[in-house]
Amino acid sequence: MDRIWQKHYEQGVANEIDIEKYVSLIGLLEHSCEVAGNKTAFINLGTEITFKELSEKSRDFAAFLVNKCGIKRGDRVAIMMPNLLQYPIVLFGILRAGCAVVNINPLYTSAELVHVLNDCTAKAIVILSNFGKTLEDALPDILMEHIILTEVGDMYAPIKKAVVNFVIKYVKKMVPRYNLPGAVWLTNALREGEQLRYEKPGMKREDIAFLQYTGGTTGVSKGAILTHGNMLANVLQILEWTKNAVKGEHQIMITPLPLYHIFSLTGNLLLTIALEAANVLITNPKDLNGFIKELKKYKFTAITGVNTLFNALLHHPKIKEVDFSQAQFAIAGGMAAQRSVAERWQQLTKLPLIEGYGLTEASPVVTINPLNITEYSGSIGLPVPSTDVQIRNEYDQVVECGVPGELCVKGPQVMQGYWNSPEETQKVFSKDGWLKTGDIATMDKEGFLYIVDRKKDLIIVSGFNVFPNEVEDAIMHNPGVLEVAVIGVPHEKTGEAVKAFIVKKDPSLTEDDIINTCKQYLTRYKIPKLIEFRDHLPKTNVGKILRRSLRE
């Protein structure tokens, strides 16, 4: 295959990565912790942990899981919390126990949580107490052997910990009452683990590191099987791509996107471990005042985000008080970056907004623009090292440059398949082994790629996947609904918004009735922003609702 894109790599960026560099993510962590030692690894609301502390505490948690919980190599352990210092400790503890991490969106409803936990048969879950009620509601429908609870301030100094946890629970009342019999506290687990023997598991590249739940291109949430080899490959690809831009020993990356999202997991958490860099975890980026207050504290060197986040920052009156003088790059992913946002960002920061493209099934990065570009182009960039892409038509034939077709990918970062879903796995791979992304793209003569449209009906709200079937199923729980169809429509703030077209069965049915039904089954960003009642919905001659006609 002629990789025309490699001719346009930045000088010094290799065409291939050395996938033999590490055997597992455990090896990557141990190497960085040994080299970096007392350097700051993670920062959250003014509290820091060093690489040495990360190594020690993750080791303690691994020892607890194995010796006290009886967790065995290959078992699945779930994490359900926002960006806190506990997250990397727990995540690496799970990996060091020889287990697979299952990242769960803490905003999930109990129904969504039941689906994921039953599908992956998780043996344990580490959950922030704020979401304890959701887990309690799910317990009758799941088999969960071990529950480990944590509070927001658990990794802070004793006085700060007590104050933060008290305010969140009793002043802000952010912790609904829950009852989780047999649950243990993470702080106690770490103390116990410190006294226990830890034996490093002999993990290999082909062992599962993450079951990362996604809808793929359509349907209910499925667990993408991402091995240690997949994740290591993507980290090494990003390292190679960014090496010219990363200058100086004191690297500080801002992480506003949640670590349970694949973009943030690989491009922030794992990347900063590999770079031996400091990672500033933003717990609630929607609190723009608090977010900007954190930005003003650090002379950061990199920041990642989605288009909607950059747009929100640009509209904040205090963004001009942030010091961007040390920033080396800003990367936008998760959803398309809008030209107006990219241009305003560059005008403010003197940095181009670097757009990339990826998907959970590719760990996630497939393409990135060269970091030496001078302005926004609308392209999603070039395939990263050791990655092949093709644009194929509906007959699975490769098309010429400039002709739209489905973007297909091969590379060491591509998943092994979907957990417990051989039929869905077969659908997403071509007969000759290419991952079919479901996105329609074009490639120019220099190898730069441009997303044209989505092949499927997937809706992307602020970088998160929303699947029409799931929303429609939730709405149909309302007995007053006869028919429903859901599509994505353009939205200024979130890129896309969910719109529902409904035919009433009960003439008295209202928009509020629909919203209240959705709240029982769906995370907030999946709930329709727009509802339109109609007398009928367009259909094919066999009765299939035509979402395409509704979009048009």
Side-chain angles (χ1 to χ4, degrees):
M1 177 183 297
D2 181 18
R3 295 174 171 172
I4 56 173
W5 52 84
Q6 291 181 341
K7 298 174 185 176
H8 303 283
Y9 279 8
E10 282 188 67
Q11 189 173 359
V13 173
N15 292 342
E16 304 287 339
I17 55 163
D18 178 13
I19 58 174
E20 307 292 321
K21 188 171 183 179
Y22 300 103
V23 175
S24 71
L25 290 169
I26 300 172
L28 170 65
L29 173 72
E30 290 180 342
H31 171 78
S32 292
C33 288
E34 184 178 342
V35 173
N38 290 320
K39 283 180 66 176
T40 299
F42 292 93
I43 306 168
N44 179 240
L45 292 175
T47 299
E48 303 180 1
I49 60 168
T50 64
F51 279 87
K52 182 181 178 183
E53 289 170 324
L54 173 63
S55 178
E56 291 170 348
K57 290 182 185 298
S58 62
R59 174 255 171 233
D60 295 345
F61 188 60
F64 176 82
L65 287 175
V66 173
N67 294 291
K68 286 292 184 177
C69 299
I71 300 293
K72 296 180 175 59
R73 174 175 170 156
D75 284 345
R76 276 74 61 199
V77 180
I79 306 175
M80 188 170 174
M81 71 175 92
N83 290 3
L84 296 166
L85 294 176
Q86 296 93 301
Y87 212 121
I89 291 169
V90 167
L91 183 143
F92 284 113
I94 295 168
L95 293 175
R96 295 179 85 174
C99 302
V101 175
V102 182
N103 289 303
I104 295 178
N105 184 339
L107 298 179
Y108 268 3
T109 63
S110 59
E112 292 167 315
L113 184 59
V114 165
H115 167 71
V116 171
L117 293 180
N118 280 340
D119 188 66
C120 73
T121 58
K123 290 289 181 68
I125 184 170
V126 186
I127 184 169
L128 189 69
S129 61
N130 300 48
F131 312 108
K133 185 66 173 72
T134 306
L135 180 58
E136 179 190 348
D137 292 344
L139 282 181
D141 299 313
I142 61 174
L143 181 62
M144 181 55 61
E145 296 180 18
H146 304 280
I147 299 169
I148 300 157
L149 282 163
T150 187
E151 293 183 292
V152 169
D154 279 356
M155 293 299 124
Y156 302 154
I159 295 176
K160 182 178 179 180
K161 169 187 171 180
V163 171
V164 168
N165 289 343
F166 179 86
V167 169
I168 286 173
K169 189 171 185 179
Y170 297 107
V171 179
K172 295 189 176 181
K173 301 186 184 304
M174 294 171 67
V175 185
R177 293 175 66 88
Y178 61 86
N179 180 30
L180 297 171
V184 300
W185 289 101
L186 177 62
T187 48
N188 294 336
L190 293 174
R191 272 195 295 270
E192 284 192 57
E194 194 175 353
Q195 309 303 319
L196 298 170
R197 182 170 175 267
Y198 168 70
E199 188 173 330
K200 179 181 174 181
M203 305 304 286
K204 300 177 182 177
R205 289 185 192 88
E206 56 266 29
D207 287 322
I208 301 173
F210 295 90
L211 282 186
Q212 195 73 13
Y213 276 78
T214 176
T217 51
T218 60
V220 297
S221 189
K222 301 178 287 292
I225 301 170
L226 301 175
T227 64
H228 284 262
N230 292 147
M231 300 300 282
L232 282 168
N234 212 219
V235 171
L236 293 170
Q237 287 165 327
I238 301 168
L239 276 176
E240 184 65 28
W241 198 260
T242 58
K243 69 181 184 182
N244 290 343
V246 177
K247 300 180 177 73
E249 292 184 11
H250 301 288
Q251 297 293 314
I252 302 175
M253 180 175 278
I254 304 295
T255 301
L257 298 185
L259 295 175
Y260 58 78
H261 192 288
I262 187 68
F263 176 25
S264 190
L265 172 64
T266 305
N268 290 69
L269 191 152
L270 296 179
L271 181 63
T272 54
I273 293 293
L275 286 170
E276 297 149 24
N279 191 326
V280 181
L281 300 177
I282 307 298
T283 304
N284 181 18
K286 290 185 178 179
D287 173 13
L288 287 176
N289 288 324
F291 183 13
I292 288 180
K293 187 177 178 181
E294 289 296 296
L295 288 177
K296 288 164 67 175
K297 290 180 183 177
Y298 308 101
K299 291 192 173 183
F300 56 90
T301 55
I303 182 171
T304 62
V306 293
N307 182 81
T308 49
L309 182 67
F310 289 117
N311 189 42
L313 287 173
L314 287 165
H315 280 95
H316 196 281
K318 292 190 176 181
I319 188 63
K320 293 179 181 178
E321 298 174 14
V322 176
D323 182 0
F324 290 95
S325 63
Q326 301 301 308
Q328 295 160 357
F329 60 88
I331 293 182
M335 61 188 295
Q338 296 169 334
R339 179 176 293 276
S340 61
V341 173
E343 290 175 350
R344 281 187 288 123
W345 180 263
Q346 185 163 357
Q347 186 177 11
L348 171 71
T349 68
K350 311 307 177 192
L351 286 172
L353 197 55
I354 307 294
E355 190 169 8
Y357 167 85
L359 62 167
T360 303
E361 291 85 347
S363 303
V365 179
V366 174
T367 70
I368 317 179
N369 272 282
L371 269 66
N372 62 355
I373 63 169
T374 57
E375 60 185 11
Y376 173 84
S377 66
S379 168
I380 56 169
L382 305 167
V384 293
S386 297
T387 302
D388 288 308
V389 301
Q390 290 183 347
I391 308 295
R392 295 184 172 192
N393 61 21
E394 64 269 32
Y395 305 108
D396 218 20
Q397 300 166 328
V398 179
V399 300
E400 297 179 356
C401 287
V403 177
E406 184 170 11
L407 176 58
C408 300
V409 182
K410 259 189 182 181
Q413 74 271 47
V414 172
M415 71 166 184
Q416 307 308 296
Y418 293 122
W419 182 259
N420 288 336
S421 299
E423 292 182 1
E424 293 298 324
T425 300
Q426 190 174 7
K427 287 179 188 175
V428 82
F429 283 100
S430 66
K431 291 180 180 179
D432 54 348
W434 289 75
L435 173 66
K436 298 187 288 185
T437 68
D439 285 311
I440 303 300
T442 62
M443 181 188 290
D444 67 19
K445 293 180 180 179
E446 295 181 328
F448 283 87
L449 289 149
Y450 299 81
I451 294 294
V452 178
D453 200 354
R454 277 191 294 281
K455 185 177 180 181
K456 304 294 183 182
D457 293 318
L458 176 67
I459 304 164
I460 298 182
V461 177
S462 295
F464 290 96
N465 293 354
V466 179
F467 314 111
N469 289 343
E470 184 182 14
V471 181
E472 289 165 1
D473 287 346
I475 292 172
M476 288 304 295
H477 278 88
N478 189 306
V481 175
L482 179 64
E483 290 180 331
V484 60
V486 167
I487 65 168
V489 295
H491 190 275
E492 184 180 2
K493 290 184 178 179
T494 58
E496 283 188 307
V498 179
K499 181 172 183 178
F501 295 85
I502 295 170
V503 178
K504 295 181 181 182
K505 183 177 181 181
D506 180 354
S508 66
L509 186 71
T510 66
E511 290 189 16
D512 286 343
D513 294 334
I514 298 299
I515 298 301
N516 289 332
T517 298
C518 288
K519 284 179 178 178
Q520 297 177 49
Y521 301 99
L522 299 170
T523 306
R524 186 169 52 198
Y525 65 81
K526 299 178 183 178
I527 296 173
K529 288 280 187 188
L530 301 165
I531 296 171
E532 182 176 329
F533 292 105
R534 288 194 170 191
D535 294 329
H536 63 274
L537 298 175
K539 299 184 179 107
T540 66
N541 55 1
V542 294
K544 183 178 179 181
I545 294 173
L546 289 167
R547 292 197 188 110
R548 185 183 69 248
S549 295
L550 292 171
R551 282 195 295 267
E552 291 170 354

